[in-house]
Amino acid sequence: MEEIEMRSQIIIACVLMIAASPAVAAGKYRCKDFAADYKATPERETVDTRSNPSMAMAAGFLMGSYYARTGDDFLSKDTKGLGTFEKQVVEECAKNPGERVPVVVLKLAEGLLPASTGSSSKSTGEYNALSLTDFRLDADDLIGKKIEVSGILQTMGDMSMLGEELFTMNKVFVDTKKLPRDSRRFIIEKCEQGCQITVRGKAGKVLMNNGIIAEAITPQ
């Protein structure tokens, strides 16, 4: 319940931040402005709220939407996920220069997954972390056991495959049918061309080959 309340507070704060900026609220600050300002700001440099309040408000809305959607710890020093999301927003804004920044942010936020997906009763400790090479070597002995494997997931129709590299032929089949809807949606929308991901599930037969019956995923 506390987590839900925290996310609600972040969303409310985002709305208030947007409303507090006259340019953003009036719709004058568009995607083309945000993309230009973002690219002109040196990496890791804090946005000056006094000299560019519109960008600061838009960036704050972006951050609030990201943390509200994923549930990531916003006090953590690991901001890799946020950085990736920022770049996605900037790229989308470059394609739609006349669109409002919050519209683009909320659209892309729908594709974000919580930091840990799948059943809440599952914990990483239940799964034995393996490399793809170890999985291939011990696959017959691992049948029915819970494992965790990371790699690049690629989809082709209803088929999903996990490999160390995108274009390797030595891939492991992954059955995604038991994943939550949000996870399956993420795979369909983000992994056709390959996505870095951690798969947790049981080792088993997939398409008559040794594979992984996925129970949860975590995008990297």
Side-chain angles (χ1 to χ4, degrees):
M1 179 65 96
E2 291 181 358
E3 181 180 354
I4 295 175
E5 290 179 353
M6 175 62 73
R7 292 188 184 188
S8 297
Q9 290 172 6
I10 292 174
I11 293 172
I12 292 171
C14 289
V15 174
L16 292 176
M17 288 170 69
I18 291 294
S21 173
V24 175
K28 295 179 181 179
Y29 191 78
R30 298 281 174 161
C31 263
K32 60 181 178 62
D33 304 307
F34 180 70
D37 288 340
Y38 181 90
K39 293 176 181 178
T41 302
E43 191 174 358
R44 296 186 180 88
E45 181 174 304
T46 304
V47 178
D48 188 341
T49 58
R50 291 170 298 179
S51 64
N52 197 340
S54 296
M55 183 190 180
M57 294 297 175
F61 185 84
L62 183 154
M63 291 176 62
S65 298
Y66 172 83
Y67 287 118
R69 178 66 177 170
T70 63
D72 283 357
D73 181 6
F74 52 83
L75 297 178
S76 172
K77 293 182 179 179
D78 183 4
T79 59
K80 182 179 179 181
L82 174 61
T84 299
F85 183 60
E86 286 178 345
K87 292 178 181 178
Q88 290 175 346
V89 171
V90 172
E91 289 174 1
E92 190 67 18
C93 271
K95 297 175 184 176
N96 302 277
E99 187 60 90
R100 289 177 297 160
V101 180
V103 172
V104 171
V105 170
L106 293 176
K107 175 184 175 183
L108 293 178
E110 291 180 0
L112 292 173
L113 286 176
S116 179
T117 62
S119 172
S120 59
S121 63
K122 302 269 192 307
S123 66
T124 305
E126 294 182 39
Y127 299 88
N128 181 25
L130 300 170
S131 69
L132 279 164
T133 298
D134 286 334
F135 172 77
R136 296 188 191 98
L137 290 171
D138 303 326
D140 290 334
D141 297 328
L142 291 169
I143 297 295
K145 295 181 180 179
K146 293 190 173 186
I147 60 172
E148 173 183 311
V149 185
S150 298
I152 297 177
L153 187 73
Q154 186 176 20
T155 61
M156 295 178 64
D158 294 331
M159 184 169 58
S160 297
M161 299 167 289
L162 192 69
E164 290 93 344
E165 299 177 358
L166 181 60
F167 297 109
T168 180
M169 298 298 291
N170 194 16
K171 295 187 177 184
V172 173
F173 288 107
V174 179
D175 185 340
T176 61
K177 295 185 182 69
K178 293 185 178 181
L179 288 174
R181 189 174 186 276
D182 282 352
S183 299
R184 287 184 280 114
R185 180 189 182 94
F186 176 86
I187 290 173
I188 290 172
E189 293 183 345
K190 305 294 184 181
C191 300
E192 184 176 358
Q193 302 299 322
C195 62
Q196 189 73 37
I197 210 164
T198 295
V199 178
R200 298 184 184 92
K202 289 184 178 180
K205 292 296 181 180
V206 181
L207 297 176
M208 302 184 70
N209 290 279
N210 290 324
I212 306 170
I213 301 170
E215 297 176 343
I217 61 170
T218 302
Q220 301 299 307

